[in-house]
Amino acid sequence: EHHFFRQIAIRAAGCGLQVFVFSPQSWQPSQQRVRGFVWNDEKKAWKPIIAPLPDLIYDRCFFLSSTHFRSVIPSIKKLQRHPSIRFLGHGLAGKWEVYQILQRHSELRSYLPETYRVHHPREVMAYLHKKGDIVMKPLGGSLGRKVIRIRKGSGNTIYLSGRNARNRPFSATLSETELTAWLGRNLINSRWIIQPYLHLYTADQRPFDIRILSQKNGQGSWEVVGKAIRQGQAGGLTSNLHGGGKGIGFHPFMQYHFPDKAELIEQQIDELGHKIPPLLELYHGPLVELGIDIGVDKDGNVWIIEVNSKPGRTLFSWTGEREVQIRSVQNIVNYACYLLKAKDKKVREN
């Protein structure tokens, strides 16, 4: 995220703040300083630095595997426990945590696909026989990796399709025995959820979803910064940009594909964009921004697909919404200033 970090550093400097980028593993609890990098705007380059521990941390750590997660998370936890450091927000634990929080609220329950945590092949097979067409997702996955559709065919035939751990599309035809063995190998090392398969496609069979970007602003309040469409490749399962998808402006897309329901759908989406962030924060703890992914099926029904606490911004460069890109960076800086002012005020009062 070189470009994103550079934009934060430049905008923060304009507000009198210094930004430096570092890996949590580069800090040891016995040290009061940490190795990192600061942006040198004159030389247009990142400069190595050994700096004091920051007042605020904006967590943009992404985990490529369970092994990577286990190697990094202890360092993040140590930083979170440090008495003088405040995180702008704490990352959501995963899809299951989000589902459990949101399904407590009756006004959101109807937007949530039926979701189950699975531990054993027999649970997946029983659900497949009940529904006939299901989706498996890793609890902590991102970018569409390892999202798998499992569909019952005739007789003993099962069809698999989706994206593998390297985010490459795959498909396979298996027997029930082969699928059970495959599930046994995959469930043992990863955590998964299952859901019914939802038809979230356009008429030409391109998967799509709506990404809502919601952030804290300089007043410490949540605001919806923007929303846009992510559309995947024809016949694909996911619409993630990293999986070959593209970004499209929200209003033209909705008017074209849902001309009679576009206004009602947008009203529901906007309500979800405003309701979800404070509800999640109430039960989860501090958050700074959320990427809320919304699906719309062929009948115009709206579904909450996923909520991501470390959303990207590339989508809005696809759609040409430069003002959204700028505001999404500025909000991070403004919220940091808001927290620092609140901290200074508390110190003075004490």
Side-chain angles (χ1 to χ4, degrees):
E1 295 192 300
H2 170 94
H3 177 73
F4 178 43
F5 294 158
R6 186 172 76 237
Q7 292 301 313
I8 291 177
I10 291 169
R11 293 190 174 276
C15 299
L17 303 181
Q18 184 184 54
V19 168
F20 73 97
V21 181
F22 72 99
S23 164
Q25 292 169 296
S26 68
W27 175 72
Q28 297 298 323
S30 60
Q31 300 172 346
Q32 293 304 308
R33 301 176 75 81
V34 64
R35 292 180 179 273
F37 298 87
V38 293
W39 176 251
N40 187 318
D41 206 37
E42 290 182 7
K43 296 184 177 180
K44 307 298 180 188
W46 290 96
K47 173 187 172 184
I49 186 176
I50 299 177
L53 287 174
D55 296 293
L56 299 171
I57 289 180
Y58 177 40
D59 178 6
R60 290 296 290 182
C61 286
F62 292 91
F63 309 111
L64 305 179
S65 65
S66 298
T67 302
H68 184 214
F69 173 81
R70 288 192 294 270
S71 70
V72 177
I73 201 66
S75 300
I76 294 177
K77 295 293 186 185
K78 289 173 186 175
L79 285 163
Q80 288 175 340
R81 291 193 294 266
H82 196 283
S84 67
I85 294 175
R86 163 82 184 255
F87 275 61
L88 296 189
H90 294 267
L92 292 167
K95 299 176 181 67
W96 185 238
E97 178 203 16
V98 171
Y99 175 78
Q100 288 181 305
I101 292 173
L102 296 183
Q103 62 88 30
R104 298 178 188 180
H105 299 276
S106 58
E107 69 268 30
L108 298 178
R109 212 168 288 146
S110 62
Y111 295 104
L112 294 167
E114 188 176 77
T115 303
Y116 298 101
R117 174 88 162 83
V118 289
H119 305 83
H120 195 276
R122 65 173 174 269
E123 296 171 315
V124 180
M125 297 304 295
Y127 197 63
L128 176 62
H129 281 286
K130 179 183 176 182
K131 296 291 184 180
D133 201 350
I134 66 174
V135 174
M136 274 183 61
K137 300 176 182 179
L139 287 193
S142 62
L143 310 179
R145 292 190 190 99
K146 296 169 75 173
V147 175
I148 301 163
R149 179 185 181 185
I150 308 175
R151 180 169 59 91
K152 242 184 103 50
S154 58
N156 193 35
T157 305
I158 307 292
Y159 300 105
L160 262 66
S161 61
R163 307 194 76 86
N164 63 20
R166 296 183 177 180
N167 213 2
R168 293 174 181 166
F170 81 95
S171 60
T173 303
L174 306 176
S175 68
E176 290 198 13
T177 302
E178 289 170 330
L179 176 60
T180 301
W182 182 87
L183 289 168
R185 292 191 299 271
N186 282 271
L187 289 174
I188 196 168
N189 293 320
S190 302
R191 302 175 303 155
W192 299 81
I193 58 170
I194 52 175
Q195 297 173 328
Y197 174 75
L198 301 174
H199 194 283
L200 309 176
Y201 289 80
T202 56
D204 58 353
Q205 295 303 299
R206 293 181 183 273
F208 76 95
D209 63 19
I210 299 104
R211 162 59 64 89
I212 304 171
L213 178 61
S214 186
Q215 293 180 306
K216 291 279 188 68
N217 57 27
Q219 289 74 50
S221 303
W222 285 101
E223 67 172 52
V224 173
V225 179
K227 57 180 181 283
I229 304 294
R230 299 186 303 181
Q231 186 177 61
Q233 297 176 335
L237 182 61
T238 63
S239 55
N240 299 76
L241 301 184
H242 288 79
K246 64 178 181 179
I248 303 173
F250 175 82
H251 290 101
F253 181 94
M254 298 304 292
Q255 288 293 339
Y256 181 81
H257 291 284
F258 300 93
D260 299 328
K261 298 181 178 180
E263 188 175 339
L264 176 60
I265 291 171
E266 182 173 16
Q267 180 184 337
Q268 291 175 290
I269 289 171
D270 288 344
E271 287 178 3
L272 292 174
H274 287 97
K275 286 179 179 178
I276 289 173
L279 282 175
L280 279 179
E281 193 169 43
L282 180 65
Y283 291 95
H284 167 79
L287 294 163
V288 59
E289 60 186 347
L290 292 171
I292 304 168
D293 296 338
I294 302 294
V296 181
D297 66 25
K298 62 182 187 300
D299 298 317
N301 299 310
V302 173
W303 300 94
I304 300 169
I305 303 303
E306 190 172 339
V307 184
N308 186 344
S309 54
K310 298 176 184 178
R313 289 145 180 80
T314 311
L315 176 61
F316 298 104
S317 64
W318 276 86
T319 61
E321 295 173 88
R322 181 163 169 74
E323 71 282 359
V324 175
Q325 288 182 282
I326 293 171
R327 189 145 54 101
S328 73
V329 176
Q330 190 65 52
N331 270 347
I332 298 299
V333 175
N334 291 349
Y335 184 56
C337 291
Y338 166 82
L339 291 178
L340 290 172
K341 288 175 183 175
K343 182 180 178 181
D344 288 344
K345 182 180 178 182
K346 187 175 180 181
V347 169
R348 289 196 303 271
E349 288 174 350
N350 292 337

